[in-house]
Amino acid sequence: MKGLIIGWIVLTITVLITAYILPGIKIDKFSSAVWAAAALGILNAIVKPVLVILTLPITILTLGLFLLVINAVIILLVGALIKGFEVRSFGTAVIASIIISIISFVTSRLI
């Protein structure tokens, strides 16, 4: 349980940093970032594995780069689900997925 809460906090901070860096992502208030991080975590746990299995041939052909597209689709889905969290374009979502992946990788290695 403790690890889940720490992961949620780290993902919330990551979402806030990404919104600060990218002008195409808008967060109205802190609670929107908290809910966006929760939705992102839930969708990554439930929807992403299904999408990865369904798109496995494309992912293999692109040497794994198609996973960025899957991450971008999940970020766009979070933007559609959470009020106060807005992602303006698919390109912004792809860049956000790269930034979130890098920050999450670094923080997971540090924690």
Side-chain angles (χ1 to χ4, degrees):
M1 184 70 174
K2 188 177 182 181
L4 181 68
I5 294 173
I6 290 172
W8 190 7
I9 292 169
V10 168
L11 189 55
T12 301
I13 293 169
T14 303
V15 168
L16 287 170
I17 290 170
T18 305
Y20 180 75
I21 293 172
L22 287 177
I25 295 181
K26 182 180 147 194
I27 297 177
D28 289 342
K29 49 190 171 181
F30 181 74
S31 63
S32 297
V34 171
W35 288 113
L40 193 60
I42 291 168
L43 290 175
N44 275 334
I46 297 171
V47 175
K48 186 176 178 181
V50 174
L51 290 177
V52 168
I53 290 171
L54 290 175
T55 61
L56 193 59
I58 298 170
T59 304
I60 291 171
L61 285 175
T62 62
L63 302 175
L65 290 176
F66 193 74
L67 292 174
L68 291 174
V69 173
I70 292 173
N71 288 338
V73 168
I74 291 175
I75 290 172
L76 285 172
L77 187 58
V78 170
L81 292 174
I82 304 298
K83 185 176 181 182
F85 180 75
E86 179 184 336
V87 181
R88 295 179 196 236
S89 68
F90 181 75
T92 302
V94 171
I95 296 170
S97 73
I98 294 170
I99 292 171
I100 289 172
S101 297
I102 291 171
I103 294 173
S104 295
F105 175 77
V106 169
T107 54
S108 70
R109 293 293 176 186
L110 294 176
I111 292 180

